[in-house]
Structures are given as structure tokens and as C-alpha cells.
């Protein structure tokens, strides 16, 4: 089952999937669209990325973030937009997950914490595609989580025989997403399978669960899945560190529902 893709994402995928595109071409693409420009700047200056100073121009953002992150971010802001129509609360869930992931990446001394931010934003990309392409079917999936007390991952599997993680993997490969982002999207529910970015994937896996425990946003069910013991051990966060991640998520409550995003 291969879903068709909304036009806006298709147009963007031409840029994201083009290995030959230059940073200045990406800059001009963003700058030619004022709404996109303001969203990108808002995002890079928010707690999702946590840069200390203000980034005031697209050129500055593009140079600072580099190819992989800017491509992921470009996809991220567009997908966040679609999330709002696809499933109320999914955007807030994704924003919360990005903040949590960035915070954990910082605690772990990761060099490129932006990768965790983008991974958090896009980890449930497959849900957006499934929701937009099969709204009726997905409604049944959501009813199943509600009435049968199922996790969304299992309800998708029961209904579509595939999950949002598999659909996300398919898209990420099709668009030649950076390998670490592809891992996060494909394996955030089974972090032990990540080969290219096991730490980023473990981080987003835990971030996803922490955001759910906070009742922050909505990701398709009312339950909190179990944390992978291996990931939990791998990240080795203290109780105080976990509390700090939760505080950071809490401080951004409501942001994902702000229409300015
Ligand atoms: Fe997910
Ligand atoms: Fe999620």
C-alpha cells in the first residue's frame, strides 16, 4: 500500500530530494515565500532549536544549519502545517517531542542537537500522510484506539497492516532524507533497530513517550507505550534530568496550537 502524497509536500520533495541543490538555491526558495520565511525564522528562534542569539535572516539560518537540517526543517514546517488539518493535537505532540529531544540531546552532549529537533518534529510524518490519504480509514483506526484501548501503532497495524513508521520510512527513502532522520522516522517505536543514528532514535523514542506522559498534544491514542529498556539504559538520564525535560516541555504548552506556527 503506497499512499499518494499531497501536492505541497511533493513540490517540496523536489528540493529536499535533490542532492545537487546549493545552499543559496535553498535560500532563494525560502525567501521567495514570505509566509514560509517567517515560519522558518520563528522555528529556528524558538525553544525547538535553542540557539542563543536571534537569527534574523534566511541566509543566516541556512548557513548555520547546513543542508541536512535545513531540508528537514523545511519539510518540518510544511508538515506541521498539514498536521493542524489532519489531526488536532498532532502538531503540539510533534513540537513537544522536538523540544524534549533537543533538551535530551543537549544533556547527552550531542554535537548536532538540531538533528534531534528535526527528528522530533518529523517523527510522526507517516501519520500525516496516512491521515491525509485515508481519512475515513484513519478515523476507524482512531475509534479502535478509543474503544478497544489500543495503542495507535497497533491499531494502524491491525487496520492497514502497516504503521506510520513504515510509511514514514518509505517516504524518507523516496526523498533521500538524511540517514539519521530516516532512522528516527522509521524506528522511533523500535529504537533497537536503528543502524545509522541509534542515539538520535533512542532520544526521540524517549521524547515521544515523555510528551505523552505529560498529556501534551495528541498522537492518536490516550496511552503511554512502554519505554525500550535498552534505550533508557543507553541514555542513562538521572531523575533530575528527566524532570528538567518535562519542565521544558511544559513551558511550551499551547505553542503547537498557536496559528502563527
Ligand atoms: Fe510514532
Ligand atoms: Fe509520536
Amino acid at each position: 500500500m503506497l499512499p499518494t502524497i499531497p501536492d505541497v509536500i511533493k513540490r517540496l520533495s523536489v528540493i529536499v530530494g535533490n542532492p545537487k541543490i546549493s545552499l543559496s538555491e535553498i535560500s532563494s526558495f525560502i525567501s521567495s515565500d514570505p509566509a514560509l520565511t517567517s515560519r522558518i525564522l520563528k522555528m529556528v528562534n524558538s525553544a525547538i532549536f535553542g540557539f542563543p542569539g536571534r537569527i534574523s535572516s534566511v541566509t543566516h539560518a541556512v548557513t548555520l544549519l547546513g543542508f541536512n537540517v535545513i531540508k528537514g526543517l523545511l519539510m518540518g514546517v510544511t508538515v506541521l502545517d498539514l498536521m493542524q488539518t489532519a489531526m488536532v493535537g498532532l502538531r503540539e505532540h510533534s513540537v513537544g517531542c522536538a523540544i524534549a529531544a533537543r533538551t535530551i540531546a543537549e544533556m547527552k552532549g550531542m554535537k548536532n542537537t538540531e538533528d534531534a529537533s528535526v527528528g522530533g518534529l518529523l517523527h510522526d510524518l507517516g501519520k500525516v500522510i496516512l491521515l491525509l490519504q485515508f481519512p475515513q480509514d484513519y478515523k476507524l483506526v482512531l475509534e479502535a484506539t478509543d474503544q478497544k484501548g489500543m495503542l495507535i501503532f497497533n491499531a494502524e497495524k491491525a487496520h492497514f497492516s502497516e504503521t506510520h513508521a513504515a510509511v514514514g520510512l518509505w517516504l524518507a527513502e523516496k526523498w533521500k532524507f538524511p540517514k539519521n532522520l530516516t532512522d528516527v522516522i522509521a524506528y522511533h517505536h523500535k529504537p533497537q533497530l536503528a543502524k545509522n543514528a541509534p542515539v538520535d532514535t533512542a532520544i526521540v523514542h524517549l521524547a515521544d513517550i515523555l510528551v505523552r506522559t505529560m498529556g501534551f498534544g495528541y498522537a492518536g491514542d490516550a496511552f503511554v507505550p512502554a519505554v525500550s529498556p535498552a534505550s533508557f539504559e543507553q541514555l542513562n538520564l538521572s531523575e533530575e534530568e528527566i524532570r528538567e525535560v518535562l519542565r521544558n516541555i511544559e513551558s511550551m504548552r499551547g505553542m503547537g496550537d498557536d496559528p502563527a506556527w
Side-chain angles (χ1 to χ4, degrees), residues 180-193:
N180 63 327
L181 181 56
T182 303
D183 258 19
V184 168
I185 291 172
Y187 305 120
H188 64 277
H189 291 279
K190 293 182 177 168
Q192 66 281 8
L193 297 181

Side-chain angles (χ1 to χ4, degrees), residues 115-231:
D115 287 334
S117 306
V118 172
L121 279 181
L122 281 169
H123 74 284
D124 277 339
L125 168 71
K127 273 183 200 163
V128 184
I129 302 302
L130 284 172
L131 275 158
L132 293 174
Q133 280 309 308
F134 309 103
Q136 295 308 328
D137 288 86
Y138 214 87
K139 215 172 139 206
L140 297 176
V141 172
L142 293 177
E143 276 169 18
T145 65
D146 205 34
Q147 288 160 11
K148 296 183 194 156
M150 292 170 91
L151 286 169
I152 187 76
F153 187 88
N154 296 332
E156 286 172 343
K157 198 149 200 158
H159 191 88
F160 293 110
S161 79
E162 279 302 350
T163 67
H164 65 280
V167 171
L169 170 63
W170 172 70
L171 278 180
E173 285 185 335
K174 185 178 160 76
W175 295 337
K176 305 180 185 70
F177 275 13
K179 283 201 166 63
N180 63 327
L181 181 56
T182 303
D183 258 19
V184 168
I185 291 172
Y187 305 120
H188 64 277
H189 291 279
K190 293 182 177 168
Q192 66 281 8
L193 297 181
K195 291 278 177 298
N196 298 299
V199 182
D200 276 340
T201 308
I203 286 176
V204 173
H205 167 76
L206 182 62
D208 186 26
I209 289 169
L210 291 178
V211 166
R212 285 156 174 270
T213 23
M214 302 277 293
F216 196 97
Y218 176 68
D221 57 40
F223 311 99
V224 181
V227 183
S228 142
S231 296

